[in-house]
Amino acid sequence: MSIGNSPEDERPFPDESQEARISVGRALQQARIAAGLTVDDVSSATRVRLAIVHAIEADDFGPCGGAVYARGHIRTLARAVHLDPEPLVAQYDAEHGGRPAPTPAAPLFEAERIRPERRGPNWTAAMVAAIVVVIGFVGFTAVKGGDGSSDAKSQLAEGSTPAASKAASPAPTKDKPADPTPEPTDSAIAAAPQDKVTVQVSAPNGRSWISAKDHNGRMLFDGLLDKGQSKTFQDNTKINLILGDAGAIELYVNGKKIEDNFRPGAVERLTYTKGDPVAG
């Protein structure tokens, strides 16, 4: 007769949450595929080398060069494939020993306070040198032009004002504001040369990653376009575009708006030439 629980009752229950949760690398890979992006697309968009992207998707964080760089790569790749990076970083920390203790705030503030003080003496020395030069010039002028100074004093004593009038006359030219540089508008796109292709990419509906190349494959822009921003590209032959979230983008090609109804979150690869607007 046994007393207490049987061995079967002491067996640990399986942790279903651990079994169901996918790895960090697998989550990034699935999100990339769902977004319609290749590893080359993600590498070009994030500037993370191909070998490191492949390694992270295989849950091999050794090529990252350390935990700090691994966290940074995870955040960058997650944003490129439209994932929230913080849960993935937290999962990485839990599986690799946790995040190191943060640096105390006081030394950081002290460092920021000290940096301007290091540069201060340089500006102070420059100001002192300028003052010395001005004083020397005034003294030299006073010695060389003693007679002129006497005449000027006599004119002031007599209430004469011609010198003051001459000194005041140049003042309006100093305060004249510079002509403002006009901001580019859609009319500038419409007036683009006919022998070139001009593409304006705007993000009025949200943020989107975009990539633009010329006819030689040279990268014109590769990065995120925030809501309300726009970019204009021009080439002699054609412009190749990749839109990470085409639903957030409006396109103007050679002065005409492209009326394609792109779906939110859809990845679109487009090519435009001098004869367009026609989606490539």
Side-chain angles (χ1 to χ4, degrees):
M1 179 176 180
S2 62
I3 299 175
N5 296 330
S6 64
E8 294 181 354
D9 296 332
E10 297 176 356
R11 288 179 298 180
F13 291 101
D15 189 347
E16 295 180 357
S17 63
Q18 293 293 333
E19 294 178 357
R21 183 173 63 178
I22 63 175
S23 66
V24 173
R26 182 63 177 167
L28 291 171
Q29 184 186 50
Q30 289 181 353
R32 174 181 60 76
I33 294 173
L37 300 173
T38 66
V39 176
D40 287 335
D41 294 336
V42 174
S43 177
S44 298
T46 61
R47 301 186 186 278
V48 178
R49 291 187 290 114
L50 280 172
I52 293 179
V53 177
H54 281 297
I56 290 177
E57 289 191 353
D59 293 303
D60 178 11
F61 300 97
C64 295
V68 174
Y69 296 104
R71 293 186 190 94
H73 290 327
I74 291 171
R75 286 191 175 93
T76 301
L77 296 178
R79 293 189 185 101
V81 297
H82 314 299
L83 282 182
D84 183 4
E86 297 310 321
L88 297 179
V89 172
Q91 182 177 345
Y92 170 82
D93 290 336
E95 295 173 353
H96 295 82
R99 182 185 296 273
T103 304
L108 290 177
F109 293 147
E110 184 68 17
E112 292 297 328
R113 186 183 66 80
I114 291 173
R115 285 174 189 163
E117 294 178 0
R118 292 174 184 168
R119 294 192 295 266
N122 294 333
W123 289 108
T124 302
M127 292 175 64
V128 170
I131 292 172
V132 170
V133 171
V134 171
I135 293 174
F137 177 77
V138 171
F140 176 78
T141 303
V143 172
K144 297 296 291 183
D147 296 338
S149 299
S150 299
D151 294 339
K153 291 179 180 178
S154 63
Q155 289 179 359
L156 291 174
E158 295 172 359
S160 178
T161 59
S165 300
K166 293 180 181 179
S169 59
T173 59
K174 294 181 179 179
D175 297 333
K176 182 179 179 180
D179 294 334
T181 301
E183 294 294 332
T185 61
D186 291 341
S187 61
I189 301 301
Q194 296 298 318
D195 59 341
K196 297 180 182 293
V197 55
T198 304
V199 177
Q200 184 188 62
V201 184
S202 302
N205 303 318
R207 188 173 67 170
S208 174
W209 166 77
I210 67 171
S211 172
K213 297 181 180 179
D214 63 11
H215 71 283
N216 291 322
R218 182 174 63 90
M219 186 68 68
L220 301 176
F221 180 79
D222 184 8
L224 288 174
L225 196 64
D226 289 330
K227 183 177 180 179
Q229 290 185 334
S230 65
K231 293 285 184 182
T232 301
F233 310 106
Q234 195 172 77
D235 187 68
N236 293 330
T237 306
K238 66 179 179 179
I239 297 292
N240 296 309
L241 294 176
I242 301 178
L243 308 179
D245 184 357
I249 295 298
E250 283 187 357
L251 294 176
Y252 289 84
V253 178
N254 297 326
K256 297 181 181 179
K257 184 177 180 181
I258 301 300
E259 299 296 343
D260 292 346
N261 295 321
F262 297 127
R263 292 182 293 103
V267 177
E268 295 288 342
R269 292 171 172 81
L270 307 168
T271 298
Y272 294 104
T273 63
K274 292 182 288 187
D276 287 328
V278 173

